[in-house]
Amino acid sequence: LGAERQATYSPFLPISPTTGRVLYVPMKHVDARAGTITFDDEDGTETTLPVTGGHCKLQWKPDFGMRWYALGVDFEMFGKDHQTNQHVYDTICEILGGHAPEHYVYELFLDEVGQKISKSKGNGLTIDEWLTYASPESLALYMFQKPRVAKRLYFDVIPRAVDDYYAHVASYRGQDAAAAIENPAFHIHSGKVPVIDMPVTFGLLLNLASASNAHDVSVMWGYLTRRLPGETAATNPELDRLAAYAVRYFIDEVLPTKTFRAPTDKERAALQDLHGRFAGKEALEAKELQDIVYAVGNAHQFEPLRDWFGAIYQVLLGADQGPRFGSFVALYGVEETRKLIEDALAGKLLKG
């Protein structure tokens, strides 16, 4: 602090007895023995208040150490930006007769371009936004993994976190005690990991919502009940919850940026071939459908083969990537996919 600020500084911010507002004002007198501070209230009246009894709020730096002492905190996690002040917090706690807690410093969260998330910039993703499109458990997994590594926090990381969460829950049941305690699901659920039947991935549901232009979860269930016998919103409420998240995510985050492109001549020939090979294949499983997709890509000499899958998603779904296309076809329907290919080749998916 500079000399002028030092002369009036107090770790206590008085709360005006007339307006109830927290005041950032110079201290006219500090009586350490009486435990009071004197200042001019908002109306100019000289006022003396005790620093206890809810009459003051602490400045943020001393608040850490005081809170640790008052609440007996023995473990504290905080972001790397607080690390330089850690000794200040510790010292305050120890001056009061307490013991500084064990610390765990985690890295900062970044936006999609690697910049620090800032309230003033409005970049990155908030907790409330995450919970609009995915479960608290998926957010818990994202927070749990690699806390000492700077992580990017933006909308595109949500689908992966959701699917990773269900994968960890599914693997938990077959693990021995040593492996189970290393499973993030064990810690997310405090050792009481639920049994969840999730027959499809969130990524697949997002592509289904995109292809069907779903604006309501009932549209999703129209496809799900046909492809997943016995599954209903009543029998699998977790799937129903995930489908609702997928629709919301599609409407708010995918649809506004969804952009289709026309196929190149090579891609057009390959899509026509795929359309023909899918004819009469409604009974095939996802893996068999995926084999057909691979075969077409190889037959038309896409190198690397991921260029073929990229073309499929860009031309048919207006996306750059997605889950295994064979799984999507099995869920969306073979004939529905053939119709999607027809519309794409006819230019019906292009804007304007």
Side-chain angles (χ1 to χ4, degrees), residues 168 172 180-193:
H168 287 303
Y172 179 79
I181 202 170
E182 295 294 330
N183 189 322
F186 175 89
H187 301 278
I188 291 171
H189 293 285
S190 301
K192 300 177 181 178
V193 181

Side-chain angles (χ1 to χ4, degrees), residues 68-83:
W68 292 346
Y69 172 75
L71 301 179
V73 175
D74 57 14
F75 178 78
E76 178 84 25
M77 290 182 68
F78 48 77
K80 187 176 71 172
D81 50 342
H82 282 280
Q83 196 167 12

